[in-house]
Each structure stands twice: as C-alpha cells, then as structure tokens.
Amino acid sequence: MTTKVALVTGASSGIGEATALRLREAGYTVYGAARRVERMQHLTELGIRLLAMDVTDDSSMRDGVEKIIADNGRLDVLVNNAGYGSYGAVEDVPLQEAREQFEVNVFGAARLTQLVLPHMRAQRSGTIVNITSVGGRMCTSLGAWYHATKFALEALSDCLRMELKPFGIDVVVIEPGGVKSEWGGIAAQKVRAASGTGPYAPQANAVADSLSSEANERRMSSPDLIAKTIVKSVRARRPKTRYAVGFGAKPMIFLHNTLPNRTFDAFMRRATGVPAKYVPANT
C-alpha cells in the first residue's frame, strides 16, 4: 500500500505545526515547510521532514516540490497554511505592506498550487487545503488588507474546485475562528504601528486591545482542533468544500449572513470596543 505524502506550509508554529503532526500520526509522509527551519528541528524527532521554504521565493518553492517528488514520486496533499495578519486603516497602511500581505497570503499559495498540480493531475488524485479564516467571510474594523487576502483565497479556492474536479483533485477551504497562536499579538503590534496615532488611534487601540487581551486569549481554540479538522477533510472520500471550525467561527458567519450590513457593523464595533463616532483628541 502506497504511503501518501503531504506538504504543509507555515509548519514552524500554530496550525501548521499541529497539522504536520496530526498528518504524520495518520500515517502520511509529511514535509513541514517554513522560512525558519531552526524553529522546526524538534519535529524531526517525530518523523516530520523539514523544508526551508519562503512562499514569496519561487526558487525555494520549486526546489521543495522537486525534492518531494524525487524522494517519493508523488504528492497527495498540499496544505497552504503560511500567512499573517497586518492590520491598520486603509489610509495609513503603505501599499507596499498591502502587496507583501497579498504575496504571502494569496500569491504564495497560488504559486505553490501551480507547482504541485502537474503531479496531482498525473496521478489523478490529490487534495489542496487552503487555510483562509472566518475573516474570509466577514470583516472587522482596520483589517481591510488582511480580509481582502482571505476573501481572495476563498474565491481562488472556489474556482480551483471547479477546474480540478475532472482530474479527481479536491479543493477544501478551512475557515478557522479564534485560535491560540502568535497571530493576534502580531496583528495587534501592526495595527498600533500603522494607526496607533492620528485620527484612527481610538479604533486602532481598541482593536489592538481586543486582539491581544488575556480574556480573548482564554476563549481561543487550540491549533490542534483545526489540525484534526484538516486531517478529517483530507481523509474523507468526498470532503466538504468548507469547514468553519474554532472559537466563534460558525456563529459569526451565521450572524454576518443573517443581519443587515449596518447592524452587523454595529455588532462588531461593540464587540471590539471601537467607537462609532470620531472625537478629536483636543475636544
């Protein structure tokens, strides 16, 4: 019986690390990819094979895929997990930062998908798993560029699913809600740096406090919960097209789809403590 092979990006921490471990436990040959290989050394003791890969560097992605095929002759699962959140007002965030977020969250996933598809088509099987977010279905204040990347990855996934059906390749979207990881702290730092002073400061500070609060952290789901769902999806004979999982994911999507837009906007402002009106600092 042939052992199936999986590639997981962003495997140095959080969802990526947990997914690599769960896939290995499920019997897959697993390659964990990340820029910071030194942070993954402990995974080798657990049977994970490491790849130094930057999803904004074409040569590193090409080399990684070629190595996997040379080693195994096949690739069955690609988990596009690498990504980050950069918050800040649209007026404040430099377009270069916006482009970099698209390079990592969207174009990196798309290019890696391009590289693995010829092999999956040849074997007439495979699964592409794209990690988007509940933030790919709804928006929060000062998260425009992050949400734009996740909405884009959702659309890309839908098109891929239709394109790849004739070749026996599944495309699955995982939409995590709140997850315990470095993500919230990094996003909080970025929103303060971009908009922590000036007219958007009240919003920025409220959003940063919400992202990094201890109370919020206690409610977050374990990355392992998301990893288990990913393994479930890739092992399913006919996987769902989308899995909303983790703290708040399904309720938030339901509210977004049910409430009028402005009512949902008001709900999100109250949830994050963002003021509804601008009050100049000198008044």
Side-chain angles (χ1 to χ4, degrees):
M1 186 174 179
T2 304
T3 300
K4 291 189 174 183
V5 181
L7 168 60
V8 181
T9 66
S12 61
S13 64
I15 293 173
E17 179 181 355
T19 300
L21 292 171
R22 283 292 176 181
L23 283 169
R24 179 69 187 121
E25 185 180 88
Y28 288 75
T29 296
V30 180
Y31 287 79
R35 289 179 304 152
R36 298 171 290 184
V37 177
E38 67 279 2
R39 294 188 59 179
M40 300 190 292
Q41 292 302 319
H42 64 287
L43 296 179
T44 60
E45 300 171 6
L46 301 169
I48 310 297
R49 305 182 186 186
L50 307 186
L51 288 175
M53 183 182 291
D54 182 343
V55 297
T56 66
D57 177 25
D58 195 81
S59 63
S60 75
M61 289 188 284
R62 188 182 296 275
D63 290 346
V65 173
E66 288 178 355
K67 175 173 175 51
I68 292 171
I69 298 302
D71 289 350
N72 306 276
R74 63 185 299 118
L75 178 55
D76 300 278
V77 176
L78 168 63
V79 181
N80 282 313
N81 170 69
Y84 73 102
S86 183
Y87 272 48
V90 172
E91 184 179 347
D92 291 335
V93 175
L95 286 182
Q96 182 57 38
E97 168 62 24
R99 291 188 182 100
E100 288 176 3
Q101 193 160 190
F102 266 89
E103 285 292 340
V104 174
N105 294 3
V106 181
F107 295 118
R111 180 55 179 148
L112 197 49
T113 299
Q114 288 180 332
L115 291 170
V116 307
L117 281 179
H119 307 287
M120 290 185 174
R121 282 192 296 101
Q123 64 197 35
R124 285 292 191 268
S125 67
T127 304
I128 307 291
V129 180
N130 289 328
I131 311 301
T132 63
S133 168
V134 65
R137 301 282 293 278
M138 46 147 283
C139 296
T140 55
S141 183
L142 302 191
W145 291 115
Y146 169 73
H147 291 293
T149 65
K150 294 304 184 180
F151 270 71
L153 192 54
E154 291 260 346
L156 188 75
S157 301
D158 283 342
C159 290
L160 273 172
R161 186 178 64 252
M162 291 185 281
E163 292 174 14
L164 299 180
K165 181 176 174 55
F167 305 105
I169 301 170
D170 290 311
V171 178
V172 174
V173 172
I174 305 292
E175 300 170 328
V179 178
K180 292 180 181 178
S181 71
E182 300 173 342
W183 189 93
I186 293 171
Q189 291 173 7
K190 287 185 174 291
V191 73
R192 289 192 199 276
S195 300
T197 59
Y200 298 97
Q203 294 185 57
N205 291 319
V207 168
D209 289 345
S210 175
L211 287 168
S212 59
S213 72
E214 289 185 12
N216 193 49
E217 179 68 16
R218 286 195 296 270
R219 291 193 293 266
M220 298 294 100
S221 298
S222 164
D224 193 52
L225 175 64
I226 316 302
K228 289 178 180 177
T229 302
I230 293 169
V231 174
K232 176 184 175 181
S233 75
V234 301
R235 298 182 74 182
R237 185 182 62 83
R238 193 168 185 267
K240 296 178 183 179
T241 60
R242 282 174 168 77
Y243 294 80
V245 60
F247 175 74
K250 290 180 180 178
M252 292 303 293
I253 291 172
F254 173 78
L255 287 174
H256 178 264
N257 293 343
T258 304
L259 297 175
N261 290 160
R262 288 188 176 85
T263 303
F264 185 79
D265 291 350
F267 169 78
M268 290 305 300
R269 284 197 301 270
R270 286 195 294 271
T272 57
V274 169
K277 294 184 179 180
Y278 171 62
V279 179
N282 59 353
T283 62

